[in-house]
Amino acid sequence: MKQSYNVCPVSVERHCCKNRQRQRSIHKFQIPREQEKILRSYQKEGFYWIKTLKHNQFGGILADDMGLGKTLQVIAVLLAAKLEGKTGTSLVVAP
């Protein structure tokens, strides 16, 4: 017997459309001054990616080869949140 799940694609589409305007402004986030000269261009893109996911209330995974600076990107995101006056607890899981 097949089991069906009640998924409402309309509400998902509505949420995505509502956030589509926000997605166009991916580079509007400010990299902390302390990190601006340290981050490489691809690390800045990772920073913008994480900030955009957060801004649009999505979760995500930042994954690439070892040694490309994911930890530094996350530190930049956490520092940006602190400088914006946001409070809370963050959990970083690393090998």
Side-chain angles (χ1 to χ4, degrees):
M1 178 185 205
K2 281 189 171 179
Q3 186 174 6
S4 64
Y5 297 95
N6 187 9
V7 177
C8 182
V10 174
S11 64
V12 172
E13 179 63 26
R14 187 177 303 137
H15 178 74
C16 291
C17 288
K18 179 179 163 187
N19 289 316
R20 200 163 281 140
Q21 196 72 355
R22 293 181 193 169
Q23 292 172 356
R24 292 189 180 114
S25 57
I26 187 170
H27 292 284
K28 76 175 195 169
F29 304 108
Q30 184 67 36
I31 295 174
R33 190 177 332 144
E34 297 87 349
Q35 301 289 327
E36 181 68 39
K37 293 182 181 179
I38 297 172
L39 293 175
R40 295 183 174 137
S41 62
Y42 62 87
Q43 292 169 326
K44 290 177 183 177
E45 290 297 318
F47 171 85
Y48 294 134
W49 171 248
I50 296 169
K51 293 290 284 183
T52 300
L53 290 175
K54 174 70 175 153
H55 181 75
N56 289 306
Q57 300 175 351
F58 289 114
I61 297 173
L62 184 62
D64 58 22
D65 293 331
M66 288 182 59
L68 293 179
K70 293 176 291 296
T71 303
L72 184 58
Q73 293 171 56
V74 171
I75 289 170
V77 170
L78 294 174
L79 179 59
K82 181 179 178 182
L83 294 174
E84 292 167 4
K86 296 181 180 173
T87 59
T89 304
S90 298
L91 173 65
V92 177
V93 180

